[in-house]
Amino acid sequence: MKRKIAILGSTGSIGVQTLDVVEQHRDIFEVELLTANNNVELLAAQAVKFKPNSVVICNDGHYGALSALLKDEDVKVFAGADSVVELVRILNVDIVVAAMVGFSGLRPAMEAIRSGKAVALANKETLVAAGALVTKAAKENNVPILPVDSEHSAIFQSLQGEKASVEKLILTASGGPFRDAGKDEIYNAAREQALKHPNWNMGAKVTIDSASMMNKGLEMIEASWLFGMPAEQIEIVVHPQSIIHSMVQFSDGSVKAQMGMPDMRVPIQYALSYPYRLDLNTPRVDFPKIGELTFQAPDMERFPALSLAFEAHRAGGNMACIMNGANEAAVNAFLNGRILFGKIPEIIEKCMGKCSFLKNPSLEDIFQTHLQAVRTAQDFCR
């Protein structure tokens, strides 16, 4: 039987690549729901091609334009974030690809879990902001959370078939565009420089996070929740070639790594087809051409955002949510030319010291914490 898929954030980088995987396996996957925030034209084109049951444009100001583009199609058109949550709940879907940007992905991901639907998680902020609540809900509803991030998929794949105890998780990082840059150069970096990732083609927000290495901090927190591993047993290693996507070290000293060319379609397809592997038209690794694989420790002084993520996770409670909200607001301010790149971690640190800390937050507390962190960061950005 075909696996029915909902793609939340279908016009973003992950969403587009997910649809490419679906295109290569039309006999296995069927699209039921597509959502986007603002990209009306691309969402309409995807709906015409893949014939989902429903589409949602989250910005309801674009509802008329989307409806007009799809008036001759047998596709239901909705608008608003509430529609995404409602359709995730009621549609007959086997797996929900959670690829919405930032904190906005939390509510629909939780609804998918509560509805008993498997979640292919590409939105790391969901676990960063509310990891304890999300993993508890997944356990209570017997719902798998299948990692889509290349690093977490690599760990997930390396753990398959293993019964030995895990000593350490090793997350690899490309180092981003400023891997070899000096501290002053990083602090004053221009928008165009920060958006020029050497290995991966990603959306603006995650690319900026990669440049500050906050992305690796978010991934550390996500890995901790996904695999039940404390921060002390998660190591970050800079690996410029991005061929080894992450590793697992076991209690006997053995290390398993998942390798491949930098192509997000591989972890996307593995999440959709798990526990099976399917053929995929992607570039193959040419080891002689690559020549060497190198590794180095990250520089916490040049990339203070990474140390802030470890600090937030160790604090527990809603601190990681504060950090995440502040980061989203600061990154947005940088992308819109309101602050320097080096101000991003400074603003995050200020928010972590100013916002209200809660040791055992409810889901409603998490939503309120995010709002407070965003507003506080916006005030600092001014």
Side-chain angles (χ1 to χ4, degrees):
M1 293 177 65
K2 288 187 176 182
R3 291 188 177 182
K4 295 183 178 181
I5 301 171
I7 305 174
L8 313 185
S10 66
T11 61
S13 175
I14 294 295
V16 168
Q17 292 178 89
T18 301
L19 287 172
D20 185 69
V21 169
V22 171
E23 177 68 12
Q24 293 192 43
H25 298 287
R26 290 273 198 155
D27 57 327
I28 298 174
F29 304 122
E30 183 176 339
V31 178
E32 285 290 299
L33 173 65
L34 297 173
T35 82
N37 192 34
N38 289 300
N39 197 335
V40 174
E41 289 77 14
L42 181 53
L43 180 60
Q46 291 173 342
V48 170
K49 184 174 183 178
F50 290 95
K51 312 294 184 187
N53 176 289
S54 305
V55 296
V56 182
I57 189 77
C58 293
N59 184 339
D60 51 19
H62 296 316
Y63 175 75
L66 182 61
S67 295
L69 289 169
L70 295 176
K71 62 182 175 61
D72 296 326
E73 301 294 325
D74 185 21
V75 177
K76 301 179 185 71
V77 180
F78 299 88
D82 289 343
S83 294
V84 176
V85 175
E86 179 66 9
L87 288 168
V88 163
R89 183 179 68 83
I90 67 173
L91 285 180
N92 180 21
V93 169
D94 298 306
I95 186 164
V96 176
V97 179
M100 295 172 72
V101 176
F103 186 82
S104 64
L106 173 58
R107 199 155 67 100
M110 279 294 282
E111 191 62 39
I113 289 169
R114 287 167 173 167
S115 303
K117 298 175 174 71
V119 174
L121 188 65
N123 174 280
K124 58 181 65 65
E125 290 85 354
T126 292
L127 285 177
V128 170
L133 296 168
V134 172
T135 52
K136 182 174 182 286
K139 186 175 182 180
E140 289 174 348
N141 290 278
N142 195 29
V143 168
I145 300 177
L146 301 163
V148 168
D149 273 349
S150 60
E151 294 83 359
H152 303 92
S153 178
I155 292 170
F156 184 61
Q157 292 180 57
S158 297
L159 289 170
Q160 296 307 305
E162 289 290 347
K163 295 181 180 178
S165 60
V166 175
E167 196 169 80
K168 182 167 61 175
L169 305 180
I170 304 168
L171 293 171
T172 57
S174 69
F178 305 133
R179 183 181 66 244
D180 301 316
K183 194 172 182 179
D184 290 343
E185 183 183 350
I186 296 172
Y187 195 94
N188 296 291
R191 182 180 187 274
E192 293 71 24
Q193 292 174 292
L195 286 171
K196 196 173 182 181
H197 197 281
N199 298 342
W200 296 94
N201 178 25
M202 305 177 291
K205 198 290 186 165
V206 69
T207 304
I208 297 302
D209 283 346
S210 179
S212 70
M213 288 201 74
M214 173 55 83
N215 196 46
K216 210 50 54 177
L218 300 179
E219 289 175 6
M220 176 276 298
I221 297 173
E222 184 182 6
S224 179
W225 289 114
L226 279 171
F227 305 110
M229 192 66 62
E232 291 72 24
Q233 289 175 259
I234 302 175
E235 182 182 358
I236 311 295
V237 174
V238 177
H239 169 50
Q241 295 82 14
S242 293
I243 297 299
I244 294 177
H245 300 304
S246 276
M247 297 172 271
V248 177
Q249 182 172 304
F250 296 94
S251 55
D252 63 352
S254 299
V255 178
K256 284 177 70 174
Q258 188 267 332
M259 309 171 74
M261 294 298 289
D263 191 323
M264 282 303 301
R265 292 174 298 172
V266 175
I268 290 168
Q269 179 170 286
Y270 191 74
L272 295 182
S273 65
Y274 177 79
Y276 307 105
R277 287 190 187 273
L278 305 176
D279 293 345
L280 190 63
N281 182 21
T282 60
R284 270 40 176 178
V285 178
D286 185 338
F287 286 102
K289 185 176 180 180
I290 293 167
E292 62 180 6
L293 303 177
T294 59
F295 308 90
Q296 63 192 68
D299 188 333
M300 298 285 195
E301 186 178 346
R302 287 188 301 130
F303 299 100
L306 186 54
S307 61
L308 288 173
F310 276 94
E311 180 184 327
H313 191 45
R314 290 188 182 108
N318 66 339
M319 188 58 77
C321 182
I322 294 169
M323 177 203 71
N324 181 70
N327 180 62
E328 286 193 18
V331 168
N332 183 63
F334 169 70
L335 286 170
N336 286 284
R338 296 198 299 272
I339 62 170
L340 292 171
F341 183 78
K343 287 288 182 184
I344 294 174
E346 292 179 5
I347 288 166
I348 295 169
E349 186 172 21
K350 288 179 180 179
C351 290
M352 288 170 64
K354 186 172 182 178
C355 292
S356 303
F357 176 72
L358 300 171
K359 188 64 180 173
N360 296 295
S362 66
L363 189 59
E364 183 56 36
D365 290 332
I366 291 295
F367 286 113
Q368 293 303 316
T369 294
H370 177 76
L371 287 174
Q372 184 191 23
V374 168
R375 289 167 181 166
T376 304
Q378 288 172 341
D379 288 343
F380 283 127
C381 289
R382 295 188 187 101

